[in-house]
Amino acid sequence: MTGFYGKTYRYKDKVIGVCETLNPDSYMIGHATKGGHKRVKNLPIFGSIEEAQNALDDYARAKGLLEASV
């Protein structure tokens, strides 16, 4: 299990997606690590999954990222 919600995208050599933070009421865009997830630093923390997914979709569109299947 990757722990991502919604669509994921290929970013460099990683797959990024919306995932939980340590705070149960916030979400981030990050990539999987051995111990959990690491946030994509140039993107903020979000209050909902939908808000984070919209931001990720916009970011992916702007960067020309391909959708990943995980």
Side-chain angles (χ1 to χ4, degrees):
M1 169 106 182
T2 62
F4 293 126
Y5 298 97
K7 290 182 190 174
T8 57
Y9 295 91
R10 294 232 167 256
Y11 178 72
K12 299 182 181 177
D13 61 339
K14 298 170 178 50
V15 173
I16 61 172
V18 175
C19 48
E20 295 177 341
T21 66
L22 293 177
N23 179 346
D25 296 327
S26 47
Y27 301 88
M28 66 181 182
I29 297 169
H31 62 87
T33 64
K34 289 181 184 176
H37 292 94
K38 184 173 183 177
R39 182 171 67 91
V40 174
K41 297 236 184 240
N42 57 342
L43 296 170
I45 301 294
F46 301 92
S48 72
I49 294 171
E50 295 80 14
E51 185 182 16
Q53 186 64 57
N54 288 336
L56 175 56
D57 292 340
D58 291 344
Y59 181 77
R61 194 173 345 341
K63 295 282 189 181
L65 303 180
L66 298 176
E67 192 171 340
S69 58
V70 281

